[in-house]
């Protein structure tokens, strides 16, 4: 960043022309497709723009503003656009960056006419609060800056209640990304480059930002994603239901009387009280979706066209001299190499972009084939509460080839490798149902599990150095997921569950701060103790459960895995024999074996036995905690 620049010193193509409004709108509509096609947009929503001040981001801001002015009913994803908000991230890596970010905001407001704000970044997470080292000295500076930048952008979008964020990555950025990955040794799946639409990265543990927030949105009086049917659809459904009803049968059943639909559930609870072995059903959990989606509508436009757009419309931009420092980041080094050296034809921009397109098409074909085979997977039982599923995978026999052809062995080997890749993609989809890990195991590391689940894909001509399982199926753990074979009269089924926690690995834990209680004046019509009634923020537990707590305890609580040594305490805390039997039956039915020791449990951070001994003991405990907290505060002030 620095002084606004209105004239560029280098034009890549003298015939470069500015991006037209029709081209930009078509690119946006091709990228920002509806995420919930059944939703009916009736509420306008803001859209965020990630602006750095460079020519690419300033061109994006101008194009978005022009598109909005020419079409007030422009739609992005599932909602109409209410306004654009420019989010300028100040990395604070050099002196004067804050002032330069404010200059960018001023230009966006005065010259383009968009709302804008500066998002500051704090490096305390990486350098400490005492700033013992400079952020520039971090060995992973680029990775740390990327993480802080996206988390800051995500929080900014949440503050403005936005679900769409535009990034100004263009064709030259795509070229540099693919070239970097090629030099780093990535396979064809990594050489696809940046996705045109993807979930916001680096925000996996922030609720409402990454693949979450849909449930809370549906609880609003006016949700952004309106999933209710229209009146016309309701009339159509009622008409279809009337056509399917046999009125004579209905009158007969009403005359004789029908058994309540809820009666079987009460019968199950009665059997539990009598000592039966049947477990009651669990309350279903909501599955989260939503979050912030990043769109890159400029991926098919070169930087020269963006420069022409700014020049033609008199839009200034800012140059950041750190982008030309080839010693700062790998991207800068690749950019310097591509601009100042004559690379081989295979490493030049047209060839690399063509490589990315070929890899994208190949991956798309494999994903489509995996989806077709995934439709044949039979899920016999899935328990979201316990995080388990019982699945039966389809057989994948190889097609036969004529033996008289000299090319048959090579064709069979090629088809075998193709089928094994498809099977590995299917296994990745199964792992994603249960895994607590953020990154799923790559396809190349699933050879053993492919042979375990698909014995028909073990060829005699396979590479003997590859890990391959032969013989009866056995349990296997990978990516935090436990595959357990269920062998019986039926075809082999697999119980997929969270793998038990290793003894030498720290347990996942989420702490919830205590809710402060205060003593109220005695009143004949009021309780003595006043408790806050709000919920705690959503926190991610074990990468699988979003948890929030509403607690009336005067102490903090934590959520940790259910441990074997705590079973007795949980049973005794229930008090009633019927409740104890119900807990035992539920654990046996829905979380058999060691699966129960991966479930979340709530623990108090202090002894709460006083709560079970009456109000006087409860008052005594609260006073003790208050005195302890006061002594800590006095100690901190005195220190």
């Amino acid at each position: 960043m620095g002084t606004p620049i209105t004239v560029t010193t280098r034009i890549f193509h003298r015939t470069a022309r500015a991006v037209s409004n029709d081209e930009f709108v078509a690119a946006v509509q091709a990228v920002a497709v509806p995420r919930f096609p059944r939703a009916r947009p009736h509420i306008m929503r803001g859209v965020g723009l990630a602006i750095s001040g460079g020519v690419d981001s300033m061109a994006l801001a101008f194009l978005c503003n022009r598109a909005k002015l020419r079409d007030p009913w422009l739609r992005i994803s599932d909602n109409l656009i209410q306004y654009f908000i420019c989010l300028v991230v100040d990395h604070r890596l050099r002196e004067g960056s804050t002032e330069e970010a404010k200059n960018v905001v001023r230009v966006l407001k005065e010259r383009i006419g968009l709302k804008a704000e500066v998002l500051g970044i704090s490096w305390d997470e990486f350098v400490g609060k005492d700033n013992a080292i400079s952020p520039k000295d971090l060995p992973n500076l680029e990775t740390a800056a990327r993480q802080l930048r996206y988390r800051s952008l995500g929080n900014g979008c949440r503050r403005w209640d936005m679900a769409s964020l535009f990034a100004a990555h263009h064709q030259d950025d795509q070229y540099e990304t693919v070239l970097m990955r090629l030099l780093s040794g990535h396979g064809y799946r990594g050489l696809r480059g940046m996705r045109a639409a993807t979930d916001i990265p680096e925000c996996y543990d922030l609720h409402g930002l990454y693949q979450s927030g849909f449930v809370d949105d549906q609880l609003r009086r006016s949700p952004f994603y309106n999933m209710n049917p229209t009146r016309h659809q309701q009339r159509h459904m009622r008409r279809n239901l009337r056509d399917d009803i046999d009125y004579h049968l209905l009158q007969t059943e009403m005359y004789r009387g029908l058994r309540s639909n809820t009666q079987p559930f009460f019968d199950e609870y009665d059997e539990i009280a009598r000592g039966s072995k049947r477990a009651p059903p669990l309350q279903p959990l909501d599955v989260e979706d939503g979050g912030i989606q990043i769109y890159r509508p400029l991926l098919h436009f070169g930087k020269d066209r963006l420069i022409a757009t700014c020049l033609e419309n008199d839009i200034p931009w800012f140059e950041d001299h750190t982008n030309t420092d080839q010693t700062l980041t790998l991207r800068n080094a690749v950019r310097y190499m591509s601009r100042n050296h004559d690379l081989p034809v295979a490493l030049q921009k047209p060839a690399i972009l063509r490589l990315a397109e070929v890899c994208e098409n190949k991956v798309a074909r494999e994903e489509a084939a995996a989806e077709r085979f995934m439709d044949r997977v039979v899920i016999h039982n899935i328990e979201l509460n316990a995080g388990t599923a019982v699945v039966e995978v389809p057989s994948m026999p190889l097609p036969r080839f004529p033996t008289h052809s000299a090319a048959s062995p090579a064709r069979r080997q090629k088809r075998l490798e193709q089928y094994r890749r498809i099977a590995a993609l299917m296994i990745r989809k199964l792992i994603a149902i249960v895994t607590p890990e953020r990154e799923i195991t790559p396809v190349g590391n699933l050879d053993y599990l492919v042979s375990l689940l698909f014995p028909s894909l073990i060829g005699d001509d396979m590479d003997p150095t590859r890990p391959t399982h032969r013989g009866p199926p056995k349990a296997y753990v990978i990516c935090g997921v436990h595959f357990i074979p269920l062998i019986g009269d039926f075809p082999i089924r697999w119980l997929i569950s969270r793998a038990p926690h290793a003894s030498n690995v720290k347990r996942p834990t989420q702490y919830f701060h205590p809710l402060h209680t205060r003593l109220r004046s005695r009143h004949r019509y009021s309780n003595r103790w006043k408790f806050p009634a709000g919920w705690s923020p959503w926190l991610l537990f074990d990468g699988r459960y979003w948890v929030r707590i509403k607690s009336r305890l005067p102490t903090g609580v934590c959520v940790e895995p259910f441990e074997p040594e705590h079973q007795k305490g949980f049973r005794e805390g229930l008090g009633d024999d019927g409740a104890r039997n119900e807990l035992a039956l539920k654990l046996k039915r829905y979380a058999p074996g060691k699966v129960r020791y991966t479930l979340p449990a709530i623990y108090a951070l202090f002894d709460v036995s006083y709560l079970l001994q009456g109000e006087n003991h409860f008052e005594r405990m609260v006073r003790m905690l208050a005195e302890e907290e006061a002594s800590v505060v006095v100690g901190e002030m005195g220190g």
Side-chain angles (χ1 to χ4, degrees):
M1 296 181 183
T3 305
I5 295 178
T6 56
V7 179
T8 180
T9 58
R10 181 178 181 183
I11 297 294
F12 296 101
H13 303 288
R14 295 184 180 275
T15 59
R17 57 186 177 85
V19 179
S20 66
N21 183 69
D22 293 339
E23 287 180 304
F24 178 71
V25 171
V28 169
Q29 292 177 347
V31 171
V33 297
R35 303 169 62 187
F36 303 93
R38 295 179 56 188
R40 295 185 294 110
H42 68 291
I43 298 180
M44 305 183 77
R45 199 170 193 180
V47 175
L49 304 179
I51 304 299
S52 64
V55 63
D56 46 0
S57 60
M58 298 301 287
L60 174 65
F62 168 77
L63 292 171
C64 289
N65 184 61
R66 184 176 65 179
K68 174 63 175 175
L69 293 176
R70 295 188 178 183
D71 184 6
W73 300 102
L74 185 63
R75 177 175 174 177
I76 298 297
S77 186
D78 300 282
N79 293 100
L80 301 174
I81 300 178
Q82 184 177 6
Y83 46 71
F84 286 103
I85 300 293
C86 298
L87 305 177
V88 182
V89 178
D90 178 17
H91 290 82
R92 297 174 180 172
L93 289 175
R94 54 187 174 82
E95 295 182 1
S97 61
T98 302
E99 186 64 26
E100 293 169 357
K102 294 180 180 179
N103 292 335
V104 174
V105 170
R106 177 179 52 81
V107 172
L108 291 169
K109 292 180 178 179
E110 297 177 359
R111 299 291 295 275
I112 302 180
L114 291 176
K115 299 179 180 180
E117 70 170 356
V118 178
L119 304 178
I121 284 183
S122 175
W123 291 86
D124 294 346
E125 180 182 352
F126 294 93
V127 301
K129 294 184 178 181
D130 54 351
N131 294 326
I133 61 175
S134 173
K136 294 183 180 180
D137 299 332
L138 293 174
N140 58 340
L141 173 61
E142 191 172 8
T143 302
R146 180 179 185 270
Q147 177 181 346
L148 295 177
R149 178 171 63 253
Y150 276 116
R151 293 177 77 89
S152 180
L153 289 171
N155 288 323
C157 290
R158 178 166 55 184
R159 188 165 55 253
W160 286 93
D161 211 358
M162 299 182 297
S164 301
L165 177 66
F166 278 16
H169 297 108
H170 48 80
Q171 197 176 66
D172 296 72
D173 293 331
Q174 184 78 297
Y175 163 61
E176 295 167 1
T177 299
V178 178
L179 185 57
M180 284 192 303
R181 295 181 180 180
L182 181 64
L183 297 177
S184 301
H186 283 258
Y188 67 94
R189 299 187 66 86
L191 296 179
R192 294 174 293 167
M194 294 179 287
R195 307 272 67 77
T198 182
D199 296 305
I200 186 171
E202 308 297 343
C203 298
Y204 311 102
D205 57 338
L206 300 179
H207 186 266
L209 302 189
Y210 184 79
Q211 296 183 358
S212 56
F214 181 79
V215 175
D216 288 349
D217 177 75
Q218 295 303 295
L219 296 177
R220 296 182 178 183
R221 178 172 299 180
S222 297
F224 285 110
Y225 306 107
N226 185 11
M227 309 300 291
N228 298 325
T230 62
R231 293 183 179 180
H232 175 73
Q233 293 173 337
Q234 293 177 4
R235 289 195 298 267
H236 182 70
M237 288 187 293
R238 284 195 296 266
R239 187 163 52 250
N240 290 338
L241 290 175
R242 284 197 300 266
D243 294 340
D244 294 338
I245 291 177
D246 186 341
Y247 287 98
H248 297 287
L249 178 60
L250 178 61
Q251 291 177 359
T252 303
E253 291 178 341
M254 293 180 63
Y255 177 76
R256 295 180 178 178
L258 295 175
R259 188 181 183 186
S260 173
N261 292 331
T262 60
Q263 191 60 38
F265 299 100
F266 290 110
D267 291 345
E268 291 188 0
Y269 280 96
D270 292 340
E271 292 174 359
I272 292 172
R274 296 193 301 267
S276 175
K277 297 297 183 180
R278 299 179 62 184
L282 299 177
Q283 183 178 358
L285 296 180
D286 294 322
V287 179
E288 272 288 17
D289 202 346
I292 298 174
Q293 196 83 355
I294 292 183
Y295 300 106
R296 300 181 175 95
L298 302 180
L299 278 182
H300 294 289
F301 300 102
K303 187 172 183 178
D304 52 351
R305 297 198 62 187
L306 302 181
I307 293 176
T309 301
C310 290
L311 290 176
E312 182 176 307
N313 297 279
D314 195 22
I315 302 298
W317 68 88
F318 300 78
E319 292 290 348
D320 188 353
H321 68 272
T322 59
N323 292 333
T324 60
D325 185 2
Q326 64 269 25
T327 63
L328 189 60
T329 62
L330 177 60
R331 181 176 293 274
N332 288 355
V334 171
R335 182 181 297 122
Y336 178 83
M337 178 182 64
S338 61
R339 292 184 178 182
N340 296 276
H341 295 81
D342 294 331
L343 299 179
V345 177
L347 296 181
Q348 294 179 6
K349 180 179 175 180
I352 293 297
L353 293 179
R354 176 57 184 166
L355 173 64
E357 183 181 355
V358 171
C359 294
E360 177 67 31
N361 294 335
K362 182 177 181 180
V363 172
R365 290 194 299 269
E366 292 180 352
E367 292 288 348
E371 286 292 341
R372 290 194 297 269
F373 278 99
M374 195 68 186
D375 292 338
R376 296 167 51 188
V377 174
V378 180
I379 301 180
H380 295 277
N381 190 20
I382 181 170
E383 295 293 344
L384 298 179
N385 301 68
T388 61
V390 177
V391 300
E392 180 181 337
V393 297
S395 59
M396 300 180 63
L398 290 176
R400 295 184 178 182
F401 297 98
T403 57
H404 61 274
S405 174
S408 293
R411 291 178 59 190
R412 186 180 187 279
Q413 178 65 21
K414 186 176 181 180
R415 183 59 62 89
L416 176 64
E417 295 296 332
Q418 178 185 2
Y419 272 47
R420 289 183 67 87
R421 282 196 300 270
I422 295 174
L425 291 175
M426 294 175 54
I427 293 176
R428 280 172 55 92
K429 296 179 184 298
L430 295 177
I431 291 176
I433 300 176
V434 180
T435 181
E437 305 293 338
R438 295 178 181 177
E439 299 294 336
I440 302 179
T441 305
V443 174
N445 297 341
L446 296 175
D447 283 337
Y448 183 86
L449 196 56
V450 169
S451 302
L452 187 64
L453 270 66
F454 301 92
S456 60
L457 298 182
I458 303 178
D460 297 333
D461 50 353
M462 284 184 57
D463 186 356
T465 61
R466 298 176 63 175
T468 302
H469 174 80
R470 298 178 185 271
K474 61 179 182 180
Y476 188 70
V477 176
I478 189 171
C479 198
V481 179
H482 199 185
F483 286 81
I484 305 175
L486 304 178
I487 303 176
D489 297 335
F490 45 81
I492 296 179
R493 299 175 182 176
W494 294 86
L495 172 63
I496 305 176
S497 66
R498 169 72 163 94
H501 300 285
S503 57
N504 58 344
V505 177
K506 184 179 179 181
R507 300 292 192 268
T509 305
Q510 285 291 2
Y511 291 96
F512 294 86
H513 298 293
L515 300 176
H516 297 286
T517 59
R518 62 187 181 90
L519 200 62
R520 299 179 62 178
S521 59
R522 287 190 175 274
H523 195 281
R524 61 178 300 183
Y525 297 110
S526 64
N527 296 326
R528 183 169 183 184
W529 296 99
K530 182 179 180 181
F531 299 90
W535 288 91
S536 67
W538 288 102
L539 297 179
L540 184 63
F541 172 79
D542 197 26
R544 300 181 299 155
Y545 299 101
W546 288 108
V547 181
R548 64 175 180 175
I549 298 293
K550 178 186 286 187
S551 172
R552 299 185 67 180
L553 295 176
T555 67
V557 297
C558 68
V559 177
E560 292 183 345
F562 179 58
E563 300 290 353
E565 58 268 21
H566 298 143
Q567 290 191 80
K568 182 179 179 181
F570 272 97
R571 287 197 304 266
E572 294 178 351
L574 294 176
D576 181 54
D577 291 339
R580 295 174 184 173
N581 294 334
E582 181 180 345
L583 174 63
L585 290 173
K586 285 184 176 180
L587 292 176
K588 183 178 180 180
R589 166 64 180 84
Y590 302 106
K594 295 183 179 181
V595 176
R596 66 189 61 179
Y597 303 131
T598 65
L599 300 180
I602 302 176
Y603 299 90
L605 299 180
F606 298 97
D607 184 13
V608 294
S609 58
Y610 288 102
L611 294 175
L612 306 178
Q613 301 177 12
E615 182 181 359
N616 294 332
H617 295 279
F618 177 52
E619 297 173 6
R620 174 187 171 191
M621 182 183 69
V622 171
R623 290 193 181 93
M624 290 172 56
L625 292 173
E627 293 173 358
E628 181 181 355
E629 182 178 358
S631 63
V632 171
V633 173
V634 171
E636 291 179 352
M637 294 178 61

